[in-house]
Amino acid sequence: MGTSRFELVQKAFTKKAAPVETPAERPSEYFGELTFDREKMHKYLDAKTLSALLNCIDNGAPLDRKTADGVAAGMKTWALSHGVTHITHWFQPLTEGTAEKHDSFLDYDGKGGVIEAFDGKALAQQEPDASSFPNGGIRATFEARGYTAWDPTSPVFIQDDTLCIPTVFISYTGEALDYKTPLKKALKAVSDAAVPICKMFDPKVTKVYSYLGWEQEYFLVDENLYAARPDLMITGRTLMGHASSKNQQLEDHYFGAIPSRVAAFMRDLEIAGLRLGIPLKTRHNEVAPNQFELAPIYGECNLSNDQNQMVMNLMDKIARKHGFVVLLHEKPFDGVNGSGKHNNWSLGTNTGTPLMAPGKDAKSNLQFVTFFVNTLAAVQKHNALLKASIATATNAHRLGANEAPPAIVSAFLGKTMTDVLRKLLTVPSDTPIEIAGKKGKSLGLVEIPEIFVDNTDRNRTSPFAFTGNRFEFRAVGSCANCAGAMTALNAAVAEQLIAFKASVDKEIAAGKKWNVAIMDCLKPIIADIIDVVCFDGNGYTDEWKAEAMKRGLDVETSVPQMITEFTKPAAVEMFTKLGVYSEGELEARNEVKWETYSKKVQIESRVMVRMATNHIIPAALEYKAKLLKEVALSKEVFGDDFKAESSSEIAIIKTISGYVADITEKVAAMKQARKAANAISDEYKKAVAYHEIAESLFALRRPLDKLEEIVDNKTWPLPKYRELLFIS
Ligand code: ADP
Ligand code: MG
């Protein structure tokens, strides 16, 4: 016999917070010490190399081999001073998570000894044997070559003894095999599309940045309890478990005091993150018990996304130091909130003007409204695609399950902006949009309240909400790579901005003043979106589902089906025109998505069947046997009266037998369904078949959870929800 559940619980409950090594310096002093940031570049690179590198980072200028050699030499000196012995190209394949292959600096010196070597070639490119990464058929396994290529816009960093170089990952024939490549293309597309519009307002603008501020939600569970749950270990979520009597109904966890063991973990994580130049800012308890959130200060989208990947890796490692396991799965526990990763998104110019926030004067407000309205138009046109961009087997448990996101992508504007848009439809096109109070009260004026950011109302049910100076795309899953969603969003906005600029140019060519031309082009868009994608009501209701369908928004709930959006004509046209994905890449990625979906459900189904068979049924039968013995004893003592005497026991025995029979039947059916699904070779059709299996997991779960409710607590083999969710 192994350790009993009670011993595990006792052990978990009495664990003390692990000590945290707090640096003597202030965070501002150690912030970024493990990244080769601009400060290090100035320190370790000669003037010529430095200016070439900065020109590459800021303006996209190509880097020659000599410069790369110079950069590598500087990096090596810096890395050696930190005891680094290895380098790795660090990339983001389509597996979710990051990949690295370490090579040491070691090389022969040609004189019989060895040296530490690192040059521009090793910095710029590596050729990992990439045959085992998902590629959707782009690279047949006999052509296993894939390349990783340095992304100079994301600083190199040190992890333990290794210098990590952020890279893109592409096939021998140039197709993207990762998340970073298309994201970078979409970011360039949105900048290229936005700059000509910004130039109408300020000719000095040459680049537009896309910003991302992610809010990472997660659960912590005690590692000993975790290890006693095969479902958590293998699938990242509980496939069974009766609801705890208390879960989140008292709403006493949200923003509550952080337990000391958790606080120690958070401190450790923050110190490690800050050292890596990740500007971690916010930490708090989330809605569900043992659920927490972490958020940095927003930054340039590509870098911020890299930092999110780094943080997810760090969380994993550091949680273990504190006797926890971090759960990044979107729905680890049924009946309490799942975890998302709100993507706060905005655009801003290289001259420092935010484009998603009101400004000081009528001109900047017109610019704001221009970008605001075009973003909404993009979200409306591509609402189904945006939903597809966040659709995975794991996030499916949040979609439509009464937590942002509902399985419909609409946008929340808040009363202020809705009023502004409606007013704009009724006034002459040259009416200035003023900050309230500046020009005195005037009926004709379009006004935005002065204190705006903190004034916007909140709507937790909306998947895409305006929050004063940014949009918050809330539908992104907690374990997702944000790049999937950010690529789709930035591309959709880029496409819309290009079309908008073309229509404005036409109006100007017809003799209109530029600002009137803009407003004349905005008006029909506003009229089109205001009662379609814009929705401020409760996104969880059935009425909204019916209403959304009437409005022509996508209401699909099956993930394999949602994924088809990527290869529909509207998406293909957009992505190929912008140069973000080729049609082949889109097809290949869909194959990967379907395959991943099927595999995840397959694994869940297998684990569930085995746990039902090896854990739950034996426990139920053990308890049943105990009851049967009591009934037999009762017969000995009471003779013919035993039936009345033992009626409760007999009833329980019968209930158990009923559930066990039900489970046995469902297990057999599920195995059969899997067999049939596995025989399908078309990935889409297979995923559709696995979607059915995913749905049937709920049905199998019901009798399992019922048994937990009646079987003797001492006999129950798995840590229960009340233990997993309340010990920290
Ligand atoms: P919330 O109240 O929505 O939970 P948080 O403080 O948890 O807010 O997270 C908000 C996130 O949005 C942070 O990462 C923050 O830096 C980011 N953010 C703020 N302003 C912008 C902006 N203009 N563009 C993008 N992200 C932003
Ligand atoms: Mg938050």
Side-chain angles (χ1 to χ4, degrees), residues 211-215 282 284 293 295-298 342 344-346 458 469-470 472:
Y211 292 111
L212 167 65
W214 41 265
E215 299 166 55
T282 304
H284 60 79
E293 182 187 295
I297 299 172
Y298 70 95
H342 297 180
N344 293 269
W345 170 88
S346 69
R458 294 284 177 131
N469 63 351
R470 62 192 186 270
E472 200 171 325

